[in-house]
Amino acid sequence: MTRITLTIDGETVQADEGTSLLEVARKAGADIPTLCHNEQLKPHGACRLCTVEVVKGKRTRLVASCAYPVEEGLVVRTSTVEIEKHRKLLVEMLYPTALHLAKRYGITKSRFEAERGDCNLCGLCVNYCREVAHRNVLYFEGRGIDRKVAFVPGKAQECSSCGACFELCSGGFVVTNHGTVSLNERI
Amino acid sequence: MCPQTVRNEAPSDDKRWKIINATMRRNGDDSHALIETLHSVQETFGYLDDVALSYVAKSLRTPLSRVYGVATFYHFFTLKPQGEHSCVVCTGTACHIKGAQALLSAIKGSFGVAPGETTADNKLSVISARCIGSCGLAPAVVIDGNVMGNLSPQTLVARVEREIG
Ligand code: SF4
Ligand code: FES
Ligand code: FES
């Protein structure tokens, strides 16, 4: 496997080709917040909390580190004033879900009206159900502001022998399908 | 034993399933044919029900969860039976400015249905859409597939009344 050399927060580090920036940076000691990331799952790229700054040649941009594979010669900064401002805004928009992050950023209220207080559509439950549990009970229904986690009709019983997604959810373990079923009740 | 593709049995002996099967076969019965197949079901049966979605999932060997995800993502697909006539009101930017909301409230007032609903007698389904590409005709409406433009609430209601008889 090809080794790749890059700079993270001023330090030169080496990593295998194909690894994500998030993984490498965390190994190098960076403290990057994430919400939709889970080592067992493919990158989902929904929350953007893992945003870092990458400098490639003359260009500087902000990228989602969980979905960005390491590149030779990349110069990465994992925390800048701009990044922290960005993260704080995202956490405020997630409020009142993801309260562990709200605490970290000192957020106790939000200027934005919460669309819903439970699910923040991080996708951990849906992706886990598909990629790891291989049960395909959950899916995202609808799109845009109507998007919600839903059960495939008639398949919800399968959850009684799994339930792994409860542990993953940061939003209070509530998943509703047409506003009726909730994982909370453990079906 | 010689390898042979066994087709799943259609949910009923309704001849229309043959059309769906043909669509799937033409696309190699592969999961990438999902949207194409759902289009075929929508056009043939008028809507997608649980039975049809399960059959498509099984036939294309794709998770039912994915089929539901796709079916609910696109506004083109409907999971409930539609009325005999359809009235699509454009609520895109141009039509919005030219009074799409007034059209919708006129329809609600005269027929009692909001976008996404069907009248109790199953005569009329009202749908809202985002820009149907006829901004020059704003506010535009599509009644049973025919685009109509520059509509006032009164002409629209009269027109729909004539269509549904
Ligand atoms: S129910 Fe929980 S785990 Fe699932 S998408 Fe919503 S917040 Fe994420
Ligand atoms: S952890 Fe990278 S986008 Fe959510
Ligand atoms: S906005 Fe109605 S047709 Fe474009």
Side-chain angles (χ1 to χ4, degrees), chain B residues 21-56:
Chain B
N21 287 344
T23 306
M24 296 195 283
R25 198 175 316 118
R26 208 172 42 240
N27 290 285
D29 289 307
D30 196 88
S31 62
H32 72 239
L34 178 56
I35 295 189
E36 197 59 33
T37 309
L38 292 180
H39 266 277
S40 179
V41 177
Q42 173 82 39
E43 263 149 33
T44 313
F45 290 90
Y47 69 106
L48 313 167
D49 63 4
D50 291 351
V51 174
L53 292 176
S54 307
Y55 178 62
V56 170

Side-chain angles (χ1 to χ4, degrees), chain A residues 90-97 99 102 107-110 112 114:
Chain A
L90 290 176
V91 175
E92 187 180 348
M93 290 198 267
L94 288 166
Y95 193 84
T97 70
L99 291 173
I107 285 168
T108 49
K109 59 177 182 1
S110 177
F112 312 102

Side-chain angles (χ1 to χ4, degrees), chain A residues 118-126 138 140 149 165 168-175:
Chain A
D118 44 14
C119 175
N120 51 41
L121 302 175
C122 70
L124 285 175
C125 55
V126 174
L138 298 173
F140 276 121
V149 176
C165 55
L168 298 174
C169 181
S170 66
F173 315 154
V174 191
V175 181

